[in-house]
Structures are given as C-alpha cells and as structure tokens.
Amino acid sequence: MDVSRVSTRFSVNIVEQSTQQRQLWMDLLRGMAILMVISFHSATILERHDYAIPPLLANFNQLFVLYRMPTLVFLSGSLLAASFKKGITLYLLGKVRRIFWPLLIWSLIYSYVIGPPVLDAEQLRKYLTGQSYLWFLTFILVYYLAAIPLRRVPPLLVVAVAFVIAILAPDGTKNGERLFYLMAFFFLGAWAGSHWQSWIRILQARASLLAWCAVILGAIASVVYHLSYGPLYALPALCFILAVSATAYRAQAGRWSAPLIFIGQNSLIFYVSHFTIIYLVIGLCSRLGVAAEVATIASFPVALIVGMVLAVVARRNGIVNLLFVAPPPPHRVVGALQAVERRFVPA
C-alpha cells in the first residue's frame, strides 16, 4: 500500500475539512490498538490449554492494560457524528449489519470451536450479551443505541454522568463499572468527532506529546502493581489517547505505517477472527508439546496473516464478506423506513 498516494486521496489539511472523513492517523491508531488486543489474547489463551503464561509475556501485555479498550472505544465514538448524518434509519441498519451481525456470526463460530455450544436461546443470549471475547461489540452496540435518545445531550455531559456511575458501581463489575467507564470514553470520542477542528488543533500542539510522560509512568505502574483499567486510571488512559493520537497524526504519511493502517481499516475483521485462530494454533502447539513461548510466537503472526487474507478476500468475495457484514435490505424496505422516519422523527 502506497501511503503517500493514499494520503492524497484524503485532504492533507484535515483542519479545513467540513465533514469528518476517515483519517489515516485514526486507522493507524486503531491498528495499534488491535495489535495490543491480539498480543493480549495470544498470551491469555495459553491458560485454556494448560500452559502457564511466561512472566515476560504477562508483563509485556500488562504495559498496555490501561490503554487497549479505552482507545478502541474512543475511536468508535469518534465516528458517531458522521453516522448520525445518514439519518436514524441508515444509522440503525448500519449498526445491525456491521456490529450485531458479526457479533452473531462469530458468537456461533466461537460456540462451535471453543464452546459451550449454542443449544438453546438462553446460551445464545449469553453470547450476545458479552459472555465471550466479543463483549466489546456488545458494548459498542449498546453505546450506539444509547446515543439515539442522548443525541441532543452534550457529549461531555454524558461523559461526566457515565464516569460518575462507573465510580459508584461495584468494583470490577463487567456490566457496571466497565460498561459505564468505557461509555465515558465512547462519548469523549463522540465529542472529538463533533468538534473535529478543535481536536485536531490539540493534536497538532507540540505539548500534546508531553502526555507520553504520563503514559510511560502508567505503564510501569501497571506492571509493578498489576493494575486493571477502570475509573481510577482514567487519566493515564486519556494521556495515552492524546499522546498516541498526536504521534499517529504526525506519522500517518510514513511508508512503515501502511500495515498498521491496513489493520485499522479492517479492524473488525481482525478483531472477530483473531481469537479463534489463536485458540486453534495454541491448541495444536499444546498437542505437539511445544513451549508456551513458541506457541505465543506462532499464534500471533498466524492470526495476523489469516486476518489479512480474510480482509483481502472479503473485498472480492460476497460469501466471505457475509462473515463480517450482513447483506443490505431491499431498497424498497429502506425507502419505506426512511419515509416513516421523515414523518415521525424530528430533524
């Protein structure tokens, strides 16, 4: 991928853009976050096959534990303003096709490969409400749905309320503290997306790179004290988003960034596919009696290669693409829904 040529397709002067378009630096940042998630699972899945996680691998992944998920959620929220411009009908259809559908398909794949299998509606409900590694898609879907009644509310007010609820929620609860903590980052991203010029000016300021100091300190503390992301560590997460965004903004034109940009542009494919691939590779390594370090080193590139192959093939093959995006409804149905929207939903 020729990044310099791709860059010319998008305006180099992002500040002057009147509408928020997909930016290469955002794809670069999203690609980095996906790599952190794949690295994390290439170590933690070891335990599913009776391996002990090597301390070096555990400490390496611990460096990023405060930053992985807040960053991905922030990036998802930054697309909210652009999504709303399509209208509620296309907004909802898009979320069903591109979030709920892959959540459903890959939950079924997960249940078949890893289990427990889906034998009744209750087990399927558990998967769709976040029982597996796909919980991130469930959370994102909840945030996008919540954004509809909240679209008239200032995003920063939603951030504040969600953060307070996260603090008051029982520590460590998935559908309490974690749900609302990440919700705060989602709507912080929504603020950035609706105040794009202000956000870009912040990234352009050299002072934004000073946030790396807090990022490094947070990463070291995370390893030393075995921290887990949550409201107490929101500041280091904010600094990470700021520092890495500012760095990615400056580095997006470099040729070395092309693979990360590709991963970011196809982040959903890499996210939903990597866990099953890693599980199968590490399972094979376990049967062959190879060391845990070798299993992890093998599973990481295999997951990336499979993700890249799926991303390329999905662009050319409609059947493979169905693993990640639901087919669009008939134009007649969409038109009828939009007519209802124009009549009953205020502009």
Side-chain angles (χ1 to χ4, degrees), residues 64-127:
F64 310 106
V65 73
L66 302 182
Y67 311 133
R68 282 187 297 262
M69 304 317 296
T71 301
L72 281 173
V73 172
F74 174 89
L75 290 169
S76 296
S78 69
L79 303 175
L80 182 64
S83 295
F84 271 136
K85 291 179 180 179
K86 302 174 184 178
I88 297 298
T89 295
L90 294 182
Y91 176 90
L92 287 173
L93 288 176
K95 305 319 167 194
V96 170
R97 294 182 60 219
R98 299 180 180 276
I99 300 179
F100 179 78
W101 177 264
L103 171 62
L104 173 63
I105 295 299
W106 286 90
S107 291
L108 295 174
I109 293 174
Y110 178 93
S111 73
Y112 178 77
V113 176
I114 302 172
V118 173
L119 299 177
D120 52 39
E122 176 60 21
Q123 184 58 53
L124 180 60
R125 183 197 65 78
K126 289 180 180 179
Y127 279 129

Side-chain angles (χ1 to χ4, degrees), residues 20-146:
Q20 179 186 353
Q21 299 175 350
R22 162 165 265 169
Q23 305 299 336
L24 294 180
W25 71 266
M26 289 181 64
D27 292 323
L28 174 58
L29 180 55
R30 188 178 286 105
M32 293 173 60
I34 289 294
L35 285 186
M36 288 188 286
V37 171
I38 295 176
S39 173
F40 173 71
H41 285 142
S42 68
T44 57
I45 292 177
L46 289 170
E47 294 180 315
R48 292 173 176 257
H49 295 283
D50 298 323
Y51 278 115
I53 300 178
L56 181 61
L57 292 176
N59 289 335
F60 176 77
N61 283 309
Q62 192 65 27
L63 288 170
F64 310 106
V65 73
L66 302 182
Y67 311 133
R68 282 187 297 262
M69 304 317 296
T71 301
L72 281 173
V73 172
F74 174 89
L75 290 169
S76 296
S78 69
L79 303 175
L80 182 64
S83 295
F84 271 136
K85 291 179 180 179
K86 302 174 184 178
I88 297 298
T89 295
L90 294 182
Y91 176 90
L92 287 173
L93 288 176
K95 305 319 167 194
V96 170
R97 294 182 60 219
R98 299 180 180 276
I99 300 179
F100 179 78
W101 177 264
L103 171 62
L104 173 63
I105 295 299
W106 286 90
S107 291
L108 295 174
I109 293 174
Y110 178 93
S111 73
Y112 178 77
V113 176
I114 302 172
V118 173
L119 299 177
D120 52 39
E122 176 60 21
Q123 184 58 53
L124 180 60
R125 183 197 65 78
K126 289 180 180 179
Y127 279 129
L128 296 180
T129 54
Q131 179 174 288
S132 74
Y133 74 103
L134 296 166
W135 64 265
F136 171 74
L137 293 183
T138 301
F139 277 27
I140 292 297
L141 184 60
V142 168
Y143 301 150
Y144 275 120
L145 293 176

Side-chain angles (χ1 to χ4, degrees), residues 209-231:
L209 296 175
L210 294 175
W212 276 111
C213 298
V215 171
I216 294 171
L217 291 175
I220 294 172
S222 180
V223 173
V224 173
Y225 299 106
H226 301 284
L227 305 180
S228 180
Y229 69 89

Side-chain angles (χ1 to χ4, degrees), residues 159-219:
V159 170
V161 173
F163 189 74
V164 169
I165 295 174
I167 293 175
L168 297 177
D171 291 344
T173 52
K174 185 174 185 177
N175 294 322
E177 181 187 67
R178 185 194 296 183
L179 177 69
F180 286 98
Y181 175 66
L182 294 179
M183 185 178 184
F185 280 94
F186 180 88
F187 281 94
L188 184 64
W191 174 87
S194 59
H195 297 79
W196 202 241
Q197 294 183 9
S198 298
W199 177 239
I200 295 300
R201 282 195 291 269
I202 292 172
L203 299 185
Q204 289 176 325
R206 291 184 180 181
S208 62
L209 296 175
L210 294 175
W212 276 111
C213 298
V215 171
I216 294 171
L217 291 175

Side-chain angles (χ1 to χ4, degrees), residues 2 58 68 108 113 138 153-155 180 205 230 232 234 249 312 334 338:
D2 189 340
R68 282 187 297 262
L108 295 174
V113 176
T138 301
V153 180
F180 286 98
L232 291 177
Y249 179 82
V312 172
V334 176
Q338 288 178 316

